[in-house]
Amino acid sequence: MTTTAVRDEWTLHAACAGHNQAPFFSDGALQIVALAICRPCPVRAECLYDALTHETPSARYGIWGGLTSRDRQALRRPSHPREVALRRLRIYLARHDADRQPPVERTDPPMTAAAPTTPPPAAEALAAQAATEDAQPASRARPNGGRYTPEQRAVFERRTVELLRAGASYSEITAELGITSPTIVRIRRQAGLPASGRTGAPPSRSKAEALALHIEQYGDGHARWTGPMAGRMAQLHAEHGRFNARRVVFEEHHGRPPVGRVRSNCGEQACIAGAHLIDNILRDAQHPAVACHSTPLFEGTSLAVTTTSSAPPLPTKDLLQWAEEHSDSSVQALAARVREGLTDLRLRYEAAHELTAIARKKEELEAQLTALAAREAALAPPKKKRKPSSHTRDYVPATVRAWAAENGIDCPGRGQIPKAVLDAWRAAHQQAGTPS
């Protein structure tokens, strides 16, 4: 259905255009009329996408995209780019219609005179069973207990082979059919197709062709990425390889490879337009936010960056304050990193200064200790030197003992000779006048 709250170009092709809006906000038989009008609508996915992404009351209630408000409660808000989300919503709606088909034996007459609807084509109904997480309620299960029939598998395999021969990447096949990479590899090997990039493989697109295929321009010169994602990185499959789409767009527009991380600087975080991308060189040069231009993305001309070379130099404190108050989040993040680095640098400087002071103090203390030791040596009294003893023996101990034994004088055979024995021996030798 269409309202003035969320009007877009797709509303011109809506099946409900010109119809009374009351059945789309009613219950019972009127609601069945609205669902019958929505079923063959060619822009059901666009209608459902706007209902899931807008928070207006009219988008929260009623029938949108052929789904009631209760049916939409089981769906998550689309997080992928618009084109990817629309493709997944079409898959989901095809499966939803296939699951809601009435039994064959039912003979109830139609409630209204609306044009009879036909079941979706087999390929769409089967592809709907591979709907991914963003457009599939967690409570809905696949038919046949979660298994595909041989006919369904054959349709998937045939479509996978067609996409492989057309040069589609695994991520593109997964986004369209919902099958995993191991399943694609198995189908490719069964069909005898070479791996991407090998001899005989389909020719790979150039970078410019792949970018033009997956970039959708919007607003005043902005552009969004509609191709595969690897985490937060826009993944570009071209020239038999994988590239970061932001870096490729930056190089195409600026005429040089980017240095460091490439970010958008136009206020649209997801914008991938070359005129709005900056790298570390542009950020470090304190370049202001790049103005939005409506020039083509691949015009071939380099970006004319207008800078003010006569800007007065700012002290570090004022420069950080300017960066923290900047409207660009990347400039604010850079200021936070610089302030953190300055804090670490200040701590290192203080530690080095303190270590230098400690070393200087140690040298001063060692010099003082040397001076104190010299003064102590000068004040201490000199030590007296012991003179060698000049006393010499005037006897031979063996001779004295032999004399004492001959004269019957008691004298120990070892140790010191008693003084009485020595005096007697000296007296005897002096009387005899014989030398000892």
Side-chain angles (χ1 to χ4, degrees), residues 356-414:
T356 303
I358 292 174
R360 188 180 300 112
K361 190 66 175 178
K362 286 177 64 178
E363 293 177 357
E364 294 176 358
L365 292 176
E366 290 175 357
Q368 292 180 4
L369 286 175
T370 303
L372 290 175
R375 182 59 178 169
E376 181 183 17
L379 295 177
K383 295 181 179 180
K384 295 182 179 180
K385 297 181 179 181
R386 295 183 61 184
K387 295 182 179 180
S389 178
S390 59
H391 178 71
T392 57
R393 291 179 179 180
D394 58 349
Y395 63 93
V396 178
T399 303
V400 175
R401 288 188 177 90
W403 175 82
E406 292 177 356
N407 292 281
I409 299 174
D410 187 13
C411 180
R414 296 181 178 178

Side-chain angles (χ1 to χ4, degrees), residues 196-332:
S196 177
R198 297 183 181 177
T199 304
S204 179
R205 300 186 184 96
S206 64
K207 292 181 181 179
E209 293 174 347
L211 287 175
L213 181 64
H214 294 297
I215 288 182
E216 175 188 358
Q217 298 199 17
Y218 69 98
D220 187 13
H222 299 287
R224 64 168 60 93
W225 178 254
T226 61
M229 301 290 293
R232 294 184 178 181
M233 185 187 76
Q235 199 171 39
L236 178 68
H237 296 271
E239 300 177 1
H240 302 292
R242 291 181 295 178
F243 305 91
N244 188 325
R246 286 181 177 271
R247 301 181 70 86
V248 174
V249 173
F250 182 94
E251 184 173 358
E252 289 282 345
H253 189 87
H254 293 273
R256 63 172 177 85
V259 177
R261 187 174 181 181
V262 177
R263 293 181 179 178
S264 175
N265 200 30
C266 63
E268 293 283 341
Q269 186 177 4
C271 180
I272 198 174
H276 306 163
L277 298 179
I278 61 173
D279 62 347
N280 285 354
I281 293 180
L282 296 179
R283 282 193 293 270
D284 294 343
Q286 304 172 15
H287 193 279
V290 181
C292 295
H293 300 284
S294 58
T295 56
L297 185 63
F298 302 107
E299 190 178 17
T301 58
S302 60
L303 174 65
V305 181
T306 303
T307 59
T308 304
S309 59
S310 60
L314 291 177
T316 304
K317 181 179 179 181
D318 298 339
L319 183 60
L320 287 175
Q321 183 178 1
W322 169 85
E324 291 172 348
E325 296 175 355
H326 202 280
S327 59
D328 188 359
S329 59
S330 63
V331 177
Q332 297 176 5

Side-chain angles (χ1 to χ4, degrees), residues 28-294:
L30 291 179
Q31 187 180 79
I32 297 177
V33 173
L35 292 175
I37 296 174
C38 287
R39 179 67 65 86
C41 182
V43 290
R44 286 180 63 188
E46 289 79 357
C47 180
L48 181 58
Y49 177 84
D50 283 356
L52 295 176
T53 54
H54 289 77
E55 297 296 334
T56 58
S58 60
R60 197 174 298 121
Y61 303 103
I63 295 178
W64 289 78
L67 298 182
T68 63
S69 59
R70 179 174 298 180
D71 292 334
R72 293 196 304 274
Q73 289 177 359
L75 299 178
R76 300 181 180 180
R77 181 186 179 92
S79 58
H80 292 279
R82 188 172 185 271
E83 292 302 323
V84 178
L86 289 177
R87 184 166 60 245
R88 298 189 174 191
L89 287 174
R90 292 188 187 99
I91 294 174
Y92 170 73
L93 289 173
R95 176 188 173 179
H96 180 271
D97 292 345
D99 292 345
R100 295 297 177 89
Q101 286 298 315
V104 177
E105 62 273 6
R106 181 174 179 176
T107 58
D108 296 339
M111 300 291 295
T112 65
T117 59
T118 58
E124 294 185 6
L126 295 177
Q129 298 177 3
T132 52
E133 186 177 274
D134 286 336
Q136 179 176 353
S139 60
R140 191 177 299 280
R142 294 171 180 171
N144 304 324
R147 298 174 178 267
Y148 294 119
T149 63
E151 293 79 9
Q152 294 170 340
R153 292 184 182 276
V155 172
F156 271 111
E157 292 176 358
R158 183 173 65 255
R159 180 57 180 158
T160 302
V161 171
E162 293 175 355
L163 292 174
L164 288 172
R165 288 175 177 170
S169 64
Y170 287 4
S171 58
E172 293 173 342
I173 298 175
T174 300
E176 180 171 344
L177 301 181
I179 58 179
T180 60
S181 295
T183 304
I184 300 174
V185 172
R186 177 181 58 79
I187 296 174
R188 177 183 60 78
R189 291 175 178 174
Q190 290 177 353
L193 298 177
S196 177
R198 297 183 181 177
T199 304
S204 179
R205 300 186 184 96
S206 64
K207 292 181 181 179
E209 293 174 347
L211 287 175
L213 181 64
H214 294 297
I215 288 182
E216 175 188 358
Q217 298 199 17
Y218 69 98
D220 187 13
H222 299 287
R224 64 168 60 93
W225 178 254
T226 61
M229 301 290 293
R232 294 184 178 181
M233 185 187 76
Q235 199 171 39
L236 178 68
H237 296 271
E239 300 177 1
H240 302 292
R242 291 181 295 178
F243 305 91
N244 188 325
R246 286 181 177 271
R247 301 181 70 86
V248 174
V249 173
F250 182 94
E251 184 173 358
E252 289 282 345
H253 189 87
H254 293 273
R256 63 172 177 85
V259 177
R261 187 174 181 181
V262 177
R263 293 181 179 178
S264 175
N265 200 30
C266 63
E268 293 283 341
Q269 186 177 4
C271 180
I272 198 174
H276 306 163
L277 298 179
I278 61 173
D279 62 347
N280 285 354
I281 293 180
L282 296 179
R283 282 193 293 270
D284 294 343
Q286 304 172 15
H287 193 279
V290 181
C292 295
H293 300 284
S294 58

